[in-house]
Amino acid sequence: MTNANAHLHSDLFKPVQLGAVQLQNRIVMAPLTRSRAKAGDVPTELAAEYYAQRAGAGLIIAEATQISPQGKGYAWTPGIYNESHVAGWKKITDAVHAKGGRIFLQLWHVGRISHPDLQPGNALPVAPSAIKPDGNAFTESGFKPFVEPRALEASELPAIVEQYKIAAQLSLQAGFDGVEIHAANGYLLDQFLRDKTNQRTDNYGGSIENRARLLLEVVEAVTSVIPSERVGIRLSPISPANDIADSNPKALFSYVVEQLNRYKLVYLHVVEGATGGPREVDGGFDLQVLRDLFKGIYIANNGYDLEMAVKARDRNLADLVAFGRPWIANPDLVERFKAGAALAEFNQATLYGGGAEGYTDYPPMQQS
Ligand code: 8OZ
């Protein structure tokens, strides 16, 4: 065996069990927002082609998908809250399964990372506290500055928890192998967790226990209606994405992970570092602490290449490794890794919105 093929020894390319399902390999397609849904937040047939092209992943985690109209924060993102969403997603899960792939859906509520243009009745986006994020929202008419959100009443939270529960049930009806609760990247659940965005004085703010309450209620609700071996979660403990921060992330996320163990979730998916940015972050901590605490499968993500992924397996630092951006222009990413082939670069201009261009037209390697 030549050194160039040394990576083929890695069990990255071997099947592994993930709760109820067997994966063909340990390489995951991370959730990627592509903003190509139709009116009514319905995913398209083009999305079925796009995901089927990527079915060589051990697991696809489909793009962040809003659990309610209020949970939407970007133009043209898909939903999972009614029958047309179930019908739309069913075509996608069928297409992926037909090619031997496995697919989870990422359940999303953006909280304050939205804009009245994207909200029902042009209402204000909601959040734990009325604190405006820095930055801009991606609306159908371009980028617009974020606004100061409306702080949720505690009495509104049970309905949001219920929406996660319904979305989980609808996801299984749509043929997904499971769901990932999106508690990362500065969206609603993360806004409750971290003290820069949560300044509430009720049972949902203040102490770590209180800030983790909404997330744990969501986990409890989701695992009460679908098997916990079909439920994963994503956290980004040290990421500043979407203008978020915490005064003691190690204590906060250690508590969260310890509590999550009560629900026997199938995996913990961690964005290691700044989302889409550096892996090392000021004020960060060693995220292996969380892996050690969690009694389930650990999916590592953020800035991995093949060499890092092989090392992560050799040193047992992760069970599965999720790649995001490399999947965009490399639909056959696993085959390219095996072959040691060069990776194609994606076109930034066709990342969000539009149709087939820059979405389903990236060729597999033999045609490149
Ligand atoms: C990039 C663009 C739009 C959404 C996330 C769902 O950060 C996202 C997202 C990323 O988790």
Side-chain angles (χ1 to χ4, degrees):
M1 167 125 341
T2 64
N3 199 36
N5 282 329
H7 64 280
L8 292 175
H9 281 303
S10 175
D11 70 358
L12 265 183
F13 299 105
K14 304 215 168 77
V16 63
Q17 200 68 26
L18 179 74
V21 295
Q22 196 186 48
L23 313 182
Q24 316 164 72
N25 56 61
R26 293 175 185 262
I27 297 170
V28 175
M29 178 177 169
L32 292 165
T33 289
R34 304 303 310 275
S35 286
R36 281 167 166 85
K38 292 187 276 205
D41 304 350
V42 179
T44 61
E45 317 228 333
L46 212 50
E49 189 183 340
Y50 164 79
Y51 282 114
Q53 288 170 342
R54 289 159 180 77
L59 177 68
I60 293 172
I61 304 166
E63 67 209 77
T65 295
Q66 56 267 9
I67 58 159
S68 68
Q70 184 192 68
K72 182 175 185 173
Y74 298 78
W76 309 300
T77 55
I80 184 74
Y81 52 85
N82 68 33
E83 288 307 316
S84 26
H85 303 143
V86 172
W89 282 116
K90 186 75 172 56
K91 293 181 191 155
I92 293 157
T93 61
D94 282 347
V96 169
H97 289 147
K99 293 187 70 183
R102 298 291 186 190
I103 183 166
F104 273 42
L105 184 61
Q106 195 190 42
L107 304 183
W108 195 27
H109 189 308
V110 297
R112 66 179 191 156
I113 303 303
S114 186
H115 188 276
D117 285 9
L118 293 157
Q119 289 289 307
N122 298 117
L124 287 177
V126 297
S129 303
I131 303 168
K132 188 183 90 63
D134 262 351
N136 297 291
F138 176 59
T139 77
E140 292 190 17
S141 44
F143 287 96
K144 297 192 177 174
F146 288 127
V147 299
E148 183 180 299
R150 174 177 73 78
L152 285 159
E153 302 289 338
S155 61
E156 295 177 273
L157 300 178
I160 293 177
V161 172
E162 185 68 18
Q163 287 159 354
Y164 276 97
K165 188 169 167 178
I166 293 168
Q169 289 173 309
L170 294 177
S171 299
L172 291 204
Q173 277 173 36
F176 284 100
D177 295 293
V179 300
E180 173 174 289
I181 296 169
H182 193 348
N185 296 345
Y187 299 111
L188 184 71
L189 297 174
D190 204 15
Q191 289 159 30
F192 269 85
L193 288 176
R194 295 203 250 180
D195 55 16
K196 178 172 179 181
T197 42
N198 183 344
Q199 295 179 7
R200 300 176 72 92
T201 53
D202 62 6
N203 283 343
Y204 290 89
S207 66
I208 284 175
E209 290 78 1
N210 281 355
R211 285 183 274 129
R213 191 177 309 282
L214 180 64
L215 171 62
L216 296 173
E217 286 176 354
V218 166
V219 170
E220 163 108 42
V222 166
T223 55
S224 76
V225 290
I226 72 171
S228 57
E229 63 179 359
R230 295 188 182 275
V231 182
I233 190 164
R234 196 179 206 207
L235 301 174
S236 56
I238 55 175
S239 178
N242 287 316
D243 193 19
I244 204 159
D246 191 75
S247 56
N248 191 348
K250 184 176 180 186
L252 170 62
F253 286 95
S254 297
Y255 172 81
V256 167
V257 170
E258 279 170 348
Q259 292 300 306
L260 288 174
N261 281 330
R262 295 198 277 130
Y263 300 98
K264 303 194 161 43
L265 301 187
V266 69
Y267 71 70
L268 169 64
H269 180 186
V270 176
V271 181
E272 299 169 335
T275 311
R279 293 177 52 80
E280 310 300 329
V281 171
D282 276 352
F285 65 99
D286 183 358
L287 295 168
Q288 280 292 313
V289 168
L290 303 182
R291 200 234 168 164
D292 293 343
L293 283 172
F294 185 65
K295 297 193 169 68
I297 290 197
Y298 179 87
I299 308 183
N301 173 242
N302 208 29
Y304 279 81
D305 60 17
L306 175 60
E307 192 187 337
M308 289 163 69
V310 167
K311 258 189 211 154
R313 281 306 300 151
D314 286 349
R315 298 176 187 172
N316 193 22
L317 299 175
D319 298 297
L320 309 179
V321 180
F323 295 82
R325 289 163 292 180
W327 279 105
I328 296 170
N330 299 278
D332 53 351
L333 184 65
V334 174
E335 292 312 310
R336 289 197 204 210
F337 279 160
K338 279 190 195 161
L343 299 188
E345 297 293 328
F346 67 83
N347 177 4
Q348 181 72 36
T350 52
L351 210 42
Y352 305 113
E357 192 192 349
Y359 189 49
T360 50
D361 63 356
Y362 290 110
M365 108 185 119
Q366 44 289 16
Q367 296 166 28
S368 301

